[in-house]
Amino acid sequence: MSLMTENGVAAAEPGGGGHNFVVVASRLPVDRVEEPDGGTSWRPSPGGLVTALEPVMREAGGTWIGWSGDAGPAPGPFEAQGLHLVGMGLSEQEVRNFYEGFCNATLWPLYHDVIASPQFHRHWWDAYVAVNQRFAQAAAEQAAQGATVWVHDYQLQLVPRMLREQRADVRIGFFNHIPFPGYEIFAQLPWRRQVVEGLLGADLLGFQRRADATNALRACRRAAGLTTRGTTVRVGGPAGIRDVQAAAFPISIDSAGLSQIAAREDVRKRAREIREALGQPEIVLLGVDRLDYTKGILHRLNAYGELLNEGRLGPPQAVLVQVASPSRERVEAYRTLREEVEQTVSRINGQHAEVGSTPVHYLHQSYPREEMAALYLAADVMLVTPLRDGMNLVAKEYVACRNDESGALVLSEFTGAADEFGGAFLVNPHDIEGMKDTIMRATAVKPAEARRRMRSMRRRVREHDVARWAASFLSTLDGTSVAAGADAGRDASTY
Ligand code: G6P
């Protein structure tokens, strides 16, 4: 029998690697920094996941297994920011075949409804199996007897089964941060059965939306020939029959923390400076994305470009700031996208800029949280228009920063966030005319209506923050073996 701590993690008898709580994610929650003296230090990488899991890690004596993002040998176990971390090494060839190849040129486009064509290569799959095996091995070494192991995202879908084969005593949760596609798309994957069987090593499978969980359950039936009942998959194996649950747990952000940053006087001052630097326009439109083809950046730029052509929007009255943070730059589809985005920005600016007045401010950079909060504060209308997105935390960050309840959010229907934000101006990013009209409606919204919309979104983000998400997943995971099937069909957010 397990003992629940405050955060919903089962306290286990020490043993094995000694950690009662093990996070397995493709990335470590820290970035490597080269010091001028040639040494290495680690600084926290921005991201809600670590904020949510840090208290659980500390309370349960947890460890985090992940990759630093550089090719080379494993940094080995180390302490950083007071957390116990186990760095995994990837060789240059594994970076190409596992990370850039199978993760980001096979699974990423496949799981995002084939917006780009997925490539299927057997040697990429072999690298995926080998790297997943190493992560599973590390988890098996770190976990105490009866520990809780939480595996994250599409890069590590084989880890649950590989880990269970070595450590039948641990409780395993898996959360997929990106969409899980419909079966007609998933079925393209030559290794669909192995992926499903890999996932089913877990006790609980978490997804962003109910539709993702439904798609995964269908994949269990079709690709692995298993029987599902409601949200339960019955899995038989040498160790007997097990029930695996699949449910929606919409992820969120550290809403209170971000709201506090946005309330700081230095951040508010910076927001005023940004507006001044932009020439004090009446309306600041903002886009913030990783430079990824799923984010709909080109569709957004095209809509804005047409509004400029038609004289409906543009400087000096309105300007667009587009932050596009560098991502996966060696993957071909990302290189092509960057060229297309940069050509489109130059075309728009070439046509519509005047000396001292630029319609699109394009920033191919990443910024610290404070600068992001200032940008969110400076923006009257936030444009979040992905073609497909598991959740989209930028939408939630914008809302969390708007402490005065002003501002408007234009949000794609094809994001997980759209399921939660009734107060957003929803758009179909493929419908350029519709998107143009909706952007215009958002720019002209009356303050009272804007407030009503923002208030409802802020309530949602405040009440459903990332700590609640983690606690909800972990308490459901803790209940899986004793109360299989009880509540798993409900959205975790309704608990
Ligand atoms: C998405 C994925 C994450 C991934 C992140 C950054 O949010 O869900 O698993 O870590 O993108 O991508 P990268 O390729 O830099 O890890």
Side-chain angles (χ1 to χ4, degrees), residues 229-297:
R229 211 169 133 241
T231 58
T232 306
V233 191
R234 184 138 284 195
V235 186
I241 286 176
R242 291 188 308 117
D243 280 346
V244 179
Q245 303 297 310
F249 296 85
I251 200 170
S252 192
I253 57 165
D254 174 17
S255 326
L258 196 55
S259 167
Q260 271 168 23
I261 291 177
R264 267 164 41 185
E265 187 40 44
D266 58 330
V267 174
R268 289 153 54 102
K269 179 162 167 275
R270 176 69 193 137
R272 290 192 295 272
E273 282 167 12
I274 291 171
R275 287 192 76 103
E276 267 166 43
L278 293 170
Q280 295 289 20
E282 272 169 50
I283 301 160
V284 175
L285 303 148
L286 176 66
V288 172
D289 310 86
R290 257 185 329 100
L291 188 40
D292 192 297
Y293 51 80
T294 58
K295 303 293 183 184
I297 302 170

Side-chain angles (χ1 to χ4, degrees), residues 27-31 43-54 64 83 177 251-254 258 367-369 372 393 397 466 469:
R27 296 286 196 159
L28 286 170
V30 290
D31 292 323
R43 86 168 160 230
S45 53
L49 195 56
V50 65
T51 323
L53 298 182
E54 209 181 298
W64 185 306
L83 298 175
H177 291 248
I251 200 170
S252 192
I253 57 165
D254 174 17
L258 196 55
Y367 295 98
R369 270 159 76 79
M372 290 313 305
L393 295 179
E397 287 174 2
V466 73
W469 166 80

Side-chain angles (χ1 to χ4, degrees), residues 68-296:
S68 68
D70 301 314
F78 62 103
E79 302 280 327
Q81 317 298 321
L83 298 175
H84 187 264
L85 307 174
V86 178
M88 301 295 293
L90 292 187
S91 67
E92 182 58 46
Q93 203 179 32
E94 283 171 338
V95 173
R96 288 201 182 278
N97 294 338
F98 163 77
Y99 171 71
E100 293 165 2
F102 201 78
C103 292
N104 291 320
T106 306
L107 291 175
W108 183 267
L110 186 75
Y111 281 30
H112 287 88
D113 288 353
V114 299
I115 295 167
S117 290
Q119 297 173 44
F120 303 110
H121 296 297
R122 282 165 282 184
H123 65 291
W124 288 2
W125 165 253
D126 293 341
Y128 188 73
V129 174
V131 173
N132 271 250
Q133 190 70 60
R134 279 217 305 285
F135 274 75
Q137 180 66 37
E141 284 163 11
Q142 293 296 322
Q145 188 69 26
T148 295
V149 181
W150 192 356
V151 184
H152 289 266
D153 229 356
Y154 63 101
Q155 302 94 341
L156 300 174
Q157 293 173 101
L158 307 181
V159 168
R161 180 184 175 147
M162 291 169 165
L163 175 59
R164 183 167 297 281
E165 279 168 358
Q166 299 181 58
R167 291 290 305 271
D169 60 294
V170 297
R171 201 182 291 257
I172 306 171
F174 176 89
F175 185 77
N176 200 50
H177 291 248
I178 69 172
F180 197 93
Y183 189 68
E184 286 67 24
I185 290 178
F186 181 72
Q188 291 180 19
L189 187 67
W191 308 279
R192 62 198 184 194
R193 186 179 49 78
Q194 291 94 316
V195 166
V196 165
E197 288 174 356
L199 290 170
L200 287 171
D203 298 292
L204 175 63
L205 299 173
F207 298 90
Q208 299 284 21
R209 300 173 314 145
R210 210 182 281 231
D212 299 314
T214 307
N215 287 343
L217 285 161
R218 183 139 180 260
C220 293
R221 293 195 294 274
R222 300 286 304 274
L226 294 167
T227 309
T228 62
R229 211 169 133 241
T231 58
T232 306
V233 191
R234 184 138 284 195
V235 186
I241 286 176
R242 291 188 308 117
D243 280 346
V244 179
Q245 303 297 310
F249 296 85
I251 200 170
S252 192
I253 57 165
D254 174 17
S255 326
L258 196 55
S259 167
Q260 271 168 23
I261 291 177
R264 267 164 41 185
E265 187 40 44
D266 58 330
V267 174
R268 289 153 54 102
K269 179 162 167 275
R270 176 69 193 137
R272 290 192 295 272
E273 282 167 12
I274 291 171
R275 287 192 76 103
E276 267 166 43
L278 293 170
Q280 295 289 20
E282 272 169 50
I283 301 160
V284 175
L285 303 148
L286 176 66
V288 172
D289 310 86
R290 257 185 329 100
L291 188 40
D292 192 297
Y293 51 80
T294 58
K295 303 293 183 184

Side-chain angles (χ1 to χ4, degrees), residues 200-399:
L200 287 171
D203 298 292
L204 175 63
L205 299 173
F207 298 90
Q208 299 284 21
R209 300 173 314 145
R210 210 182 281 231
D212 299 314
T214 307
N215 287 343
L217 285 161
R218 183 139 180 260
C220 293
R221 293 195 294 274
R222 300 286 304 274
L226 294 167
T227 309
T228 62
R229 211 169 133 241
T231 58
T232 306
V233 191
R234 184 138 284 195
V235 186
I241 286 176
R242 291 188 308 117
D243 280 346
V244 179
Q245 303 297 310
F249 296 85
I251 200 170
S252 192
I253 57 165
D254 174 17
S255 326
L258 196 55
S259 167
Q260 271 168 23
I261 291 177
R264 267 164 41 185
E265 187 40 44
D266 58 330
V267 174
R268 289 153 54 102
K269 179 162 167 275
R270 176 69 193 137
R272 290 192 295 272
E273 282 167 12
I274 291 171
R275 287 192 76 103
E276 267 166 43
L278 293 170
Q280 295 289 20
E282 272 169 50
I283 301 160
V284 175
L285 303 148
L286 176 66
V288 172
D289 310 86
R290 257 185 329 100
L291 188 40
D292 192 297
Y293 51 80
T294 58
K295 303 293 183 184
I297 302 170
L298 283 171
H299 294 63
R300 185 186 313 157
L301 286 172
N302 285 335
Y304 178 64
E306 288 191 17
L307 289 171
L308 287 163
N309 291 341
E310 293 161 15
R312 292 165 75 186
L313 207 61
Q317 179 226 3
V319 298
L320 169 64
V321 177
Q322 176 64 56
V323 176
S325 52
S327 186
R328 307 175 189 167
E329 292 190 288
R330 297 200 315 189
V331 178
E332 197 191 330
Y334 289 75
R335 280 207 297 260
T336 316
L337 174 75
R338 180 175 174 189
E339 278 166 21
E340 284 174 355
V341 165
E342 295 187 350
Q343 271 170 19
T344 308
V345 169
S346 332
R347 183 171 42 75
I348 294 174
N349 281 341
Q351 265 170 16
H352 296 282
E354 286 175 19
V355 172
S357 145
T358 309
V360 186
H361 293 253
Y362 169 73
L363 308 163
H364 183 241
Q365 286 166 61
S366 305
Y367 295 98
R369 270 159 76 79
E370 284 74 11
E371 182 70 3
M372 290 313 305
L375 278 163
Y376 291 136
L377 279 185
D380 304 289
V381 178
M382 183 79 213
L383 303 178
V384 178
T385 61
L387 308 178
R388 173 57 79 201
D389 208 333
M391 174 51 66
N392 197 288
L393 295 179
V394 163
K396 294 193 171 179
E397 287 174 2
Y398 177 67
V399 166

